[in-house]
Amino acid sequence: GYVEALRSAEFHEAVRAGVHGKVAILYLEWAGATDQRVVVDWTLIDGPDRAHALADKLAEAPTRRARRTSISGALEASLAAFEKNGFNGLRRVIDVSGDGPNNEGRLVTGARDAALAEGVVINGLPLVLNRPNYGWGDIQDLDVYYQDCVIGGQGAFMLPIRDRAQFVEATRTKLVMEVALGPV
């Protein structure tokens, strides 16, 4: 989904039409409280060529399976990454895409509130795919959980994915909305 979103003309146009015509992106995979991995480090996107290069790096990266879900760990790692990224952005946004609630590490609301106190916006892409066949450590209304406990900040939003066929479109829409919203 992210690969296709970064390759899309809609995303390229949103970046071009932005205040500075560029954005910086870091792609972080996460699972448990101490399991965060930078897949692609901070990359300046100032046109389609760089967006395609970032998409190619993501496409080449091996996918992995991991245990546990620590949204709080992902938020903490993302917040720390902003501090040393070398960019002076007008807006800082964390995208949280996940298929379950925080079940390891710090309380998610504490990590969210710490990021919000730093002026970061947190948007969500909850994968609400297997409901109502949810299992241990899962909840039925993951989208409601994201709304109440994960997202926050000026203009924050979330787009739940209820079917795998929606993933590419929802990811593209989410990235375009984040870029198009610009600084507030």
Side-chain angles (χ1 to χ4, degrees):
Y2 284 93
V3 169
E4 294 306 314
L6 291 165
R7 291 179 176 157
S8 73
E10 296 90 346
F11 175 72
H12 303 160
E13 178 56 28
V15 170
R16 189 198 64 72
V19 174
H20 291 292
K22 57 189 172 185
V23 296
I25 296 175
L26 169 129
Y27 191 92
L28 177 100
E29 279 187 346
W30 56 276
T34 60
D35 186 0
Q36 298 87 34
R37 178 176 70 102
V38 173
V39 176
V40 179
D41 209 346
W42 287 104
T43 303
L44 181 69
I45 305 297
D46 59 0
D49 289 344
R50 289 204 180 171
H52 281 279
L54 175 58
D56 292 346
K57 285 182 184 179
L58 280 179
E60 293 169 5
T63 53
R64 68 185 185 108
R65 309 264 292 147
R67 297 179 55 103
R68 310 302 292 174
T69 301
S70 182
I71 298 170
S72 59
L75 292 174
E76 290 168 341
S78 298
L79 189 59
F82 282 121
E83 294 176 17
K84 56 186 176 192
N85 72 7
F87 295 101
N88 188 16
L90 297 175
R91 189 164 183 256
R92 297 179 298 164
V93 178
I94 299 173
D95 285 332
V96 179
S97 301
D99 62 0
N102 197 73
N103 60 30
E104 186 176 84
R106 178 181 181 185
L107 287 175
V108 69
T109 52
R112 177 204 58 201
D113 293 348
L116 297 180
E118 295 294 323
V120 174
V121 174
I122 304 166
N123 295 325
L125 198 65
L127 308 175
V128 188
L129 299 173
N130 296 322
R131 276 89 182 152
N133 299 320
Y134 58 97
W136 178 89
D138 205 351
I139 57 175
Q140 174 123 12
D141 298 314
L142 186 62
D143 52 340
V144 174
Y145 175 82
Y146 264 61
Q147 184 71 44
D148 292 346
C149 300
V150 178
I151 70 168
Q154 180 114 19
F157 64 90
M158 60 118 194
L159 296 173
I161 296 177
R162 300 185 190 290
D163 184 281
R164 289 188 191 282
Q166 297 176 312
F167 194 79
V168 171
E169 179 65 30
T171 305
R172 180 176 49 244
T173 299
K174 184 168 167 290
L175 288 180
V176 168
M177 286 174 63
E178 287 167 341
V179 172
L181 282 174
V184 286

